[in-house]
Amino acid sequence: MYYSKGNYESLARPEKPKGVESKSAYLIGSGLASLAAAAFLVRDGQMEGKRIHILEKDSLAGGACDGYEYDNTGFVIRGGREVDNRYECLWDLFHSIPSLEVEGASVLDEFYWLNKHDPNSSLMRATVNRGEDAHTDGKFGLSDKGTQEITRLFFTPDEALYNRRISEVFSEEVLNSNFWLYWRTMFAFENWHSALEMKLYIKRFVHHIGGMPDFTAVRFTKLNQYESMILPLVRYLDAHNVQFHYGTKVENIQFDTKTDKKVATRIDIIRDNQKDHIDLTEDDLVFITNGGCVENSSIGNQNTPAAFNQELKQGGGWDMWRKIAAQDPSFGHPDKFCYDAEQSNWMSATVTTLDNRIPPYIQNICKRDPFSGKVVTGGIVTVKDSNWLLSWTFNRQPHFRNQPKDQLVGWIYGLFTDKPGNYIKKPMRDCTGKEICMEWLYHLGVPENQIEDMAENSANTVPCMMPYITAFFMPREAGDRPAVIPAGSVNFAFLGQFAETTRDTIFTIEYSVRTAMESVYTLLNIDRGVPEVWSSTYDIRDLLNATSTLSDGKKLTDINLDPTVKATLGEALKKIAGTDIEKLLKEYHLI
């Protein structure tokens, strides 16, 4: 497997890998990483679909990329993914997957046209005082010291950040800024999360720093992520006779690691409530999604809180990884991530409006007609003075294909689930859907004497608790996540958010697809390049633009620097006068 960039590789079809006719594949779980791997096996590996087996403990595919209507409960979206136009592996995949919305188009075509005709942006990123504009005004509000702390982190070697927390590298100069408000709510970082992941995120998305305050940096699908991405992928795999085995729980995978090579030899499963196993040969490829950010998640309803289930279940994804990791040190250290749900949880809630009482309050804040079919909030609106650090969003409506035209479906989430609310004096984790809706309506500016009636009769709200949703952000070091292809592996790979690949960042759909692509291309020896991570971190134009926007347009000569450094800068600016370097600095408003 090798990396590449440019049209020469990306537009080419690989030759059929040698010996693929005698191989089979078993994919553990049916999240995006597994589905993508199955698609690459079909498209680029040219493996027959009937030889590809997806083992899924539930009755529906998709994993964390969900969006369902539950009987007697309502519409539910546990989370949502912001999408980047520079997700090279994701779009390499989806340009081959037929759209279910537009005849004759791919999922990529549909997404591209949609976001060209209706580009994303936010007209109000944050509120205070019950629906008033927080007037962050697109500014990061960083002091010179804060900007320098972020720059220093950007250049810090990974090794120096092992097992360190964000609060160890950022002072209050950063943590009290608009920058941190934008960042933590957009990506769900907490102060105690990994400084290494923070650094990797800054480097990965440096080209989008300027588009963070108004969300022009991101794009969204037409419908929820299940119907817009997962369902087309499942239909594609069905059409190629890929075998889905629902109701099949994988408990463990046995490996032979006694020699200089590592071989998966058996999959232990429970099927139809009976223990069973699948014996493997070296021609049987195994793709393992280890861990799971939505494991132990629970759904409540309008009148029932979502349970906070901290104890990891025997036979779940984390338990499976623990059993695998016990067999070889190269298989990672799951307990670095899942040891404390208090540090990795947040809650979401899906709210469905039932009449015309709530939509005017939404429109008052987002400044757009939410029934227009176009961008509504353009990303999350963060309630800056919320005790729960509440954020909420309404994407293009309808958000579900079968959603009634006179209803809106939106998403609320809170990072501080253990704090009493501003209006509902209870921790978010103890609240019913109705109570979460009441807290949200309070922050929308609904008159207090109407809040309870509106939450009860004008909305249906479904809470969701996710104890391990940001487990992958826990402080870590090299080796805590297994490599996509561990050294010596003959017939297995790790996929998804708890597998290790270079330069890309977790908690993105791109990471799931990238690990899938790398694993398939390696195990089948496919002679086609895997697209390199977008190289903005090495593009001087992106770096200059990020420097300028982080400083809210401040000139280099106006930054409070050490006198010696400032004198050196002055001499350097004299020497570059009349050069292309001077032109570049002027173009990005740094001089």
Side-chain angles (χ1 to χ4, degrees):
M1 191 276 291
Y2 60 94
Y3 294 117
S4 66
K5 50 191 169 185
N7 291 343
Y8 181 70
E9 293 274 358
S10 67
L11 299 179
R13 283 192 309 122
E15 295 178 291
K16 189 173 184 176
K18 292 179 181 178
V20 71
E21 300 88 351
S22 63
K23 296 182 184 295
S24 296
Y26 295 89
L27 299 105
I28 314 304
S30 66
L32 178 59
S34 277
L35 298 177
F40 289 128
L41 286 167
V42 168
R43 189 192 74 178
D44 301 329
Q46 299 168 63
M47 184 180 284
E48 287 185 279
K50 66 182 182 181
R51 302 182 72 88
I52 301 170
H53 303 271
I54 297 177
L55 311 179
E56 170 55 54
K57 68 180 186 299
D58 294 323
S59 59
L60 200 64
C65 292
D66 58 5
Y68 316 130
E69 183 181 13
Y70 289 90
D71 292 340
N72 304 314
T73 300
F75 293 110
V76 176
I77 33 180
R78 286 185 292 192
R81 306 290 175 266
E82 295 125 347
V83 184
D84 186 353
N85 60 325
R86 296 304 182 187
Y87 282 178
E88 306 299 308
C89 295
L90 182 81
W91 301 127
D92 188 292
L93 169 66
F94 276 110
H95 92 267
S96 300
I97 308 301
S99 166
L100 301 182
E101 300 294 316
V102 183
E103 188 175 355
S106 69
V107 171
L108 172 57
D109 294 332
E110 171 203 321
F111 184 89
Y112 177 79
W113 298 335
L114 174 71
N115 284 278
K116 283 287 186 177
H117 296 315
D118 184 29
N120 193 69
S121 67
S122 168
L123 300 179
M124 191 179 292
R125 177 62 179 83
T127 62
V128 291
N129 301 326
R130 305 191 59 209
E132 295 178 9
D133 191 343
H135 291 296
T136 54
D137 299 326
K139 302 294 185 183
F140 288 105
L142 286 161
S143 64
D144 291 343
K145 181 174 181 288
T147 305
Q148 290 168 42
E149 287 177 5
I150 293 171
T151 304
R152 189 178 304 116
L153 180 63
F154 184 93
F155 290 109
T156 301
D158 291 0
E159 297 79 5
L161 298 171
Y162 288 168
N163 299 315
R164 298 185 67 192
R165 300 180 185 273
I166 290 168
S167 56
E168 296 178 52
V169 298
F170 286 162
S171 69
E172 297 301 310
E173 305 277 341
V174 174
L175 299 177
N176 289 330
S177 67
N178 287 341
F179 168 84
W180 187 236
L181 177 77
Y182 298 149
W183 190 277
R184 75 181 317 176
T185 54
M186 182 176 181
F187 297 120
F189 274 100
E190 304 273 22
N191 294 18
W192 54 83
H193 281 159
S194 167
L196 173 59
E197 300 301 348
M198 181 73 196
K199 175 242 177 136
L200 294 174
Y201 258 72
I202 294 172
K203 296 192 77 169
R204 178 65 171 85
F205 297 113
V206 70
H207 56 289
H208 278 329
I209 293 290
M212 279 180 52
D214 62 1
F215 284 121
T216 53
V218 296
R219 292 154 177 79
F220 294 96
T221 53
K222 179 179 180 182
L223 299 168
N224 61 82
Q225 57 200 5
Y226 176 79
E227 291 184 282
S228 283
M229 287 188 158
I230 297 299
L231 194 55
L233 196 45
V234 170
R235 295 275 176 85
Y236 171 87
L237 296 174
D238 280 338
H240 286 84
N241 299 314
V242 170
Q243 305 297 296
F244 283 84
H245 304 272
Y246 294 110
T248 302
K249 179 191 288 187
V250 175
E251 289 205 307
N252 193 14
I253 300 163
Q254 304 285 348
F255 298 87
D256 180 359
T257 61
K258 295 185 180 70
T259 62
D260 58 349
K261 62 183 182 180
K262 300 181 178 76
V263 182
T265 58
R266 193 173 91 167
I267 303 173
D268 294 327
I269 63 174
I270 295 179
R271 181 164 43 198
D272 299 326
N273 295 317
Q274 298 292 319
K275 286 185 177 291
D276 199 353
H277 67 272
I278 302 167
D279 289 320
L280 305 169
T281 71
E282 292 187 11
D283 278 335
D284 294 315
L285 310 182
V286 184
F287 299 86
I288 308 158
T289 302
N290 52 308
C293 64
V294 292
E295 186 165 327
N296 276 39
S297 64
S298 62
I299 304 292
N301 59 39
Q302 177 84 338
N303 299 305
T304 307
F308 185 22
N309 299 319
Q310 299 189 54
E311 179 116 14
L312 290 166
K313 303 171 189 172
Q314 190 171 4
W318 289 101
D319 184 52
M320 180 191 72
W321 185 13
R322 283 170 170 165
K323 290 173 181 173
I324 289 170
Q327 298 177 58
D328 193 271
S330 69
F331 296 166
H333 307 114
D335 288 303
K336 285 294 287 282
F337 304 98
C338 64
Y339 70 92
D340 186 2
E342 289 291 353
Q343 298 187 54
S344 61
N345 79 86
W346 45 258
M347 283 192 73
S348 69
T350 308
V351 59
T352 303
T353 66
L354 304 177
D355 56 30
N356 61 4
R357 297 172 71 192
I358 296 176
Y361 290 95
I362 297 169
Q363 185 166 348
N364 180 57
I365 289 174
C366 73
K367 312 302 181 188
R368 296 184 176 109
D369 175 7
F371 291 101
S372 68
K374 296 186 175 182
V375 166
V376 184
T377 58
I380 55 171
V381 179
T382 294
V383 182
K384 190 175 180 181
D385 53 355
S386 162
N387 291 348
W388 296 347
L389 194 54
L390 208 66
S391 296
W392 57 276
T393 181
F394 283 79
N395 289 335
R396 298 179 181 94
Q397 303 292 313
H399 198 50
F400 286 79
R401 192 174 284 111
N402 62 335
Q403 180 181 323
K405 291 184 179 179
D406 59 348
Q407 295 182 2
L408 302 173
V409 173
W411 185 75
I412 302 166
Y413 98 106
L415 278 176
F416 303 150
T417 69
D418 59 335
K419 308 296 184 188
N422 301 74
Y423 182 71
I424 299 294
K425 306 298 184 181
K426 295 166 62 175
M428 188 179 187
R429 64 179 63 166
D430 296 335
C431 289
T432 65
K434 173 186 167 183
E435 289 170 329
I436 292 173
C437 187
M438 289 171 68
E439 181 78 7
W440 172 62
L441 294 175
Y442 171 80
H443 288 296
L444 286 189
V446 173
E448 290 189 44
N449 62 357
Q450 299 178 36
I451 286 176
E452 184 167 11
D453 178 65
M454 208 177 283
E456 182 161 349
N457 298 305
S458 297
N460 180 59
T461 306
V462 184
C464 176
M465 165 55 84
M466 294 170 283
Y468 296 99
I469 186 62
T470 51
F472 32 60
F473 282 162
M474 296 300 285
R476 65 171 181 89
E477 60 182 290
D480 288 336
R481 301 192 303 224
V484 171
I485 307 289
S489 168
V490 172
N491 67 338
F492 66 93
F494 291 95
L495 310 178
Q497 306 301 315
F498 295 95
E500 184 74 41
T501 186
T502 58
R503 281 196 53 217
D504 218 337
T505 46
I506 42 84
F507 209 8
T508 64
I509 52 179
E510 170 71 356
Y511 200 88
S512 292
V513 178
R514 176 172 294 281
T515 57
M517 195 174 194
E518 291 184 1
S519 65
V520 170
Y521 277 39
T522 302
L523 292 182
L524 285 183
N525 195 26
I526 292 172
D527 191 7
R528 177 179 182 257
V530 172
E532 172 64 284
V533 173
W534 183 248
S535 58
S536 54
T537 191
Y538 302 114
D539 190 321
I540 188 64
R541 297 163 299 182
D542 286 318
L543 298 178
L544 291 175
N545 187 55
T547 301
S548 176
T549 52
L550 272 178
S551 302
D552 293 331
K554 188 180 288 187
K555 309 297 183 193
L556 289 175
T557 50
D558 295 331
I559 295 174
N560 184 21
L561 298 170
D562 177 273
T564 304
V565 174
K566 196 152 192 170
T568 304
L569 174 64
E571 288 301 313
L573 291 176
K574 290 178 186 176
K575 290 180 179 178
I576 64 169
T579 69
D580 279 347
I581 299 174
E582 182 185 51
K583 286 172 64 178
L584 265 176
L585 293 175
K586 286 181 176 179
E587 180 180 348
Y588 291 100
H589 313 294
L590 288 167
I591 61 174

